Amino acid sequence: MNDMAQTKPYGSWLSPIDAALAAAHDGSPAFVGFVGDEAWWTEPRPTEGGRRALVRRRAGGREEPVLPAPWNVRNRVIEYGGRPWAAAARPGDPRGPLLVFADYADQRLYAYEPDVPEAEPRPLTPLSGVGGGLRWADPRVHLDRGEVWCVLEEFTGEGPTDVRRVVAAVPLDGSAAEDRAAVRELSDGRHRFVTGPRLSPDGAKTAWLGWDHPRMPWDGTELMVADVRADGTFDGARVFAGGPEESIVQADWAPDGRLLFVSDRTGWWNLYRAAPDGAAVALCPREEEFGGPLWQLGLSWFAPLESGLIAVVHGTGATALGILDPETGEVVDAAGPWSEWSASLAVSGTRVAGIAASPRSAYEVVELDTRTGRARVIGAAHDDPVDPTYYPEPQIRTFLGPAGREIHAHIYPPHHPGHIAPGDELPPYVVWAHGGPTSRAPLVLDLAIAYFTSRGIGVAEVNYGGSTGYGRAYRDRLREQWGVVDVEDCAAVALALADEGTADRARLAIRGGSAGGWTTAASLTTTDVYACGTILYPVLDLGSWQDGETHDFESRYLETLVGPYAEVPGRYEERSPARHAERITAPFLLLQGLDDVICPPAQCERLLERMERRGVPHAYIAFEGEGHGFRRADTMIRVLEAELSLYAQVFRLEPAGGTPTLELAK
């Protein structure tokens, strides 16, 4: 701390981290892959309408976009999307690599040759006017077959659940661009949900995952294996592993042709290899996670190397990149400052590419050379936009909740290199409830958190019961307890911070988006812990979800989170914040995208109708062109500034530098 630090009240510290800076650095790279010797990946462009750009790293180290704006490399399969691109290097071909990608605007697959002068993307798949149309994800290019194999999501009616999904083959010659019949369906449609197929090295077998309602992929999936005939059709599709109570989240083939997969059959997602007799052997049995929740198709927690070693993302509550020797079970972790690795790995020869971050750096593309053990940043490099002394200094904490259960959290105290607060003042704190809810908050640099901590407002990220990263038993704490355990755990952390003198009991807030928005709203209706709350694109009415007011992927999610509706309809009514607006007495800010098909605006509107003339200060801001999760810089700027204004008014703070005042209705 600077010896010349000025003493100023919490919430009044002048920070160089403004909302525009935080918005410009929102999001992270994703879906890394090798194309020949080049690493390619997608990355966000908040200032370009929130599109996802596809970027390549040239041999000389230069990064450049593969496609110009407005191409948006992103798909909407299961609404959360999945891997949106694949490419074949075509060594020796003067045309260079062949890229296949999905464009967000029309969801079609396109083929593109970026090294061919004047080339333009050409469509490979047709449009459909039925429901949500045709969508494609998790592609693999098979030049020898003249096809790209992927997941096809096809709407059969106008309703959000009028949809089917199959493994499909799309011809690369463009013959299916106007002809749906030219797309070959490879799987038999037995599963409601599937992942993209992985072809064995000899081309004789293929593997993919499938599951059905009401299970989510972290509840139970089946690993399917089929023979591949000479004509490219599948034969003898059979369940190799998995079931209703076993979650398999990734499968692929080792170079020697043996099948690898990640399963939680022991209560932890571990990596297995199929033995010749069909039995599966754990390669590194540990009470650690070598996998995670399959929220997007095409996530990868492991990648087999030609040497027989396997690159793995693993850990408990945090993740590391390791190199696993499947013969000994030993894992050697990559050295470096990174403490969190995404489920996105790619390999080429002895090289491994991944996406990593730390509490002092945002997500960046990192390459590990397994020969030397050296890891280096090769893309989307973190570049401090401000003096890093303004970054928060997080603490990894474990708290005790009801019945003595452990609750994991990250605590970000207020921090500023030039300011301290008066000795007799305790800081305001905002509890951040992550989305999912089957997910977790990673311990990484987030300038949206720094926006608050550098002004003198603390943040507590709570990985409440139900979060991933701590084994299946921790995850299952939320079964039929959504709106109870998450609310209790967040409150327990907030009150513990107040009881120990870390936070001001009178100045506690809660905020969250999606499922975190639900936890925030449920907390305001069932507890008196918080002085206010910020609710982003939330779930508010469980009954409406049951009645089809959401998308297909999560349409039966509540059967595990709340219980079967036919058996416990009262539970749906009792827990829904929208049905109990009269219980909300604390001011709140409600933020919603008007194009959100996962948590539609209608839920917010029903809550607001019940809040009219109740005298509770609140504000509602709806954003045109935004869906589930905000992507545009101007949206994110307004969101952060509105949130800060809410806390300033409720906590009686005086933010330095000027912040637009949020008008609160009553």
Side-chain angles (χ1 to χ4, degrees), residues 510-512 517 520 524 532-538 586-592 607-608 617-623 638-647 650 662-664:
I510 185 169
R511 68 97 77 177
T520 298
L524 296 182
C532 61
T534 299
I535 307 168
L536 300 96
Y537 37 90
F588 66 89
L589 169 62
L590 186 57
L591 302 156
Q592 176 69 43
L607 175 68
L608 293 170
H618 64 278
Y620 176 54
I621 307 175
F623 299 96
R638 192 174 181 197
V639 165
L640 284 174
E641 291 180 343
E643 188 176 351
L644 177 60
S645 180
L646 173 70
Y647 304 148
V650 174
L662 174 69
E663 293 188 13
L664 297 172

Side-chain angles (χ1 to χ4, degrees), residues 345-560:
L345 292 180
V347 298
S348 176
T350 61
R351 301 158 63 199
V352 179
I355 297 169
S358 78
R360 308 294 290 179
S361 60
Y363 284 100
E364 47 197 356
V365 182
V366 178
E367 180 183 278
L368 170 67
D369 187 332
T370 59
R371 294 173 302 178
T372 65
R374 178 172 176 253
R376 60 182 181 132
V377 177
I378 62 168
H382 172 77
D383 185 16
D384 291 313
V386 297
D387 185 335
T389 59
Y390 287 93
Y391 297 161
E393 298 178 347
Q395 305 163 0
I396 301 174
R397 298 279 305 273
T398 301
F399 297 85
L400 292 181
R405 64 177 182 251
E406 290 188 344
I407 307 165
H408 303 287
H410 306 146
I411 307 303
Y412 296 82
H415 174 77
H416 191 294
H419 293 312
I420 58 174
D424 60 351
E425 183 185 8
L426 292 175
Y429 258 81
V430 183
V431 170
W432 281 34
H434 65 71
T438 309
S439 184
R440 69 182 173 90
L443 188 68
V444 300
L445 177 64
D446 184 341
L447 290 188
I449 291 177
Y451 175 80
F452 293 104
T453 57
S454 62
R455 285 169 168 74
I457 300 172
V459 171
E461 287 186 314
V462 181
N463 281 320
Y464 48 80
S467 300
T468 53
Y470 307 96
R472 182 152 187 155
Y474 195 87
R475 205 162 78 235
D476 283 348
R477 286 184 188 177
L478 211 57
R479 291 183 73 91
E480 299 195 7
Q481 296 297 310
W482 196 36
V484 179
V485 166
D486 50 323
V487 170
E488 290 176 346
D489 286 2
C490 287
V493 171
L495 293 175
L497 292 174
D499 290 345
E500 71 185 25
T502 298
D504 186 342
R505 174 65 182 86
R507 295 192 293 178
L508 297 173
I510 185 169
R511 68 97 77 177
S514 189
W518 155 270
T519 300
T520 298
S523 296
L524 296 182
T525 59
T526 60
T527 78
D528 61 357
V529 172
Y530 309 101
C532 61
T534 299
I535 307 168
L536 300 96
Y537 37 90
V539 181
L540 294 173
D541 190 344
L542 299 179
S544 69
W545 261 40
Q546 180 67 28
D547 294 337
E549 197 177 74
T550 189
H551 64 138
D552 185 57
F553 178 56
E554 293 178 277
S555 62
R556 304 281 297 277
Y557 195 7
L558 299 184
E559 293 193 26
T560 53

Side-chain angles (χ1 to χ4, degrees), residues 168-428:
V170 176
L172 290 170
D173 62 9
S175 57
E178 305 296 335
D179 182 8
R180 165 67 181 84
V183 175
R184 290 196 309 122
E185 295 191 9
L186 300 174
S187 61
D188 57 14
R190 75 172 71 178
H191 289 107
R192 183 78 172 191
F193 302 94
V194 293
T195 62
R198 301 293 182 258
L199 191 63
S200 62
D202 62 3
K205 296 183 183 296
T206 187
W208 69 96
L209 306 179
W211 68 96
D212 295 288
H213 285 318
R215 298 191 305 275
M216 300 298 285
W218 41 87
D219 296 323
T221 57
E222 294 180 331
L223 170 54
M224 304 297 298
V225 175
D227 300 321
V228 180
R229 299 189 186 98
D231 63 358
T233 57
F234 292 1
D235 181 46
R238 54 205 178 273
V239 177
F240 183 84
E245 301 297 327
E246 179 181 358
S247 170
I248 297 175
V249 293
Q250 185 189 350
D252 210 337
W253 303 88
D256 64 4
R258 284 189 281 184
L259 184 60
L260 304 170
F261 62 94
V262 172
S263 165
D264 74 344
R265 57 181 58 178
T266 65
W268 296 85
W269 275 307
N270 278 192
L271 183 60
Y272 293 81
R273 183 171 64 190
D277 61 359
V281 177
L283 298 181
C284 184
R286 294 184 182 181
E287 290 190 349
E288 283 186 22
E289 305 284 38
F290 286 73
L294 194 65
W295 278 104
Q296 294 181 302
L297 305 184
L299 297 181
S300 55
W301 290 269
F302 73 86
L305 290 141
E306 294 175 359
S307 63
L309 301 175
I310 306 169
V312 293
V313 170
H314 71 107
T316 305
T319 51
L321 171 64
I323 301 300
L324 167 65
D325 183 338
E327 306 310 322
T328 66
E330 293 184 46
V331 179
V332 177
D333 288 341
W338 309 283
S339 56
E340 187 70 35
W341 291 77
S342 297
S344 182
L345 292 180
V347 298
S348 176
T350 61
R351 301 158 63 199
V352 179
I355 297 169
S358 78
R360 308 294 290 179
S361 60
Y363 284 100
E364 47 197 356
V365 182
V366 178
E367 180 183 278
L368 170 67
D369 187 332
T370 59
R371 294 173 302 178
T372 65
R374 178 172 176 253
R376 60 182 181 132
V377 177
I378 62 168
H382 172 77
D383 185 16
D384 291 313
V386 297
D387 185 335
T389 59
Y390 287 93
Y391 297 161
E393 298 178 347
Q395 305 163 0
I396 301 174
R397 298 279 305 273
T398 301
F399 297 85
L400 292 181
R405 64 177 182 251
E406 290 188 344
I407 307 165
H408 303 287
H410 306 146
I411 307 303
Y412 296 82
H415 174 77
H416 191 294
H419 293 312
I420 58 174
D424 60 351
E425 183 185 8
L426 292 175

Side-chain angles (χ1 to χ4, degrees), residues 40-55:
W40 294 23
W41 62 90
T42 67
E43 63 182 44
R45 293 285 189 267
T47 59
E48 297 178 18
R51 80 181 182 101
R52 297 287 304 193
L54 183 62
V55 178

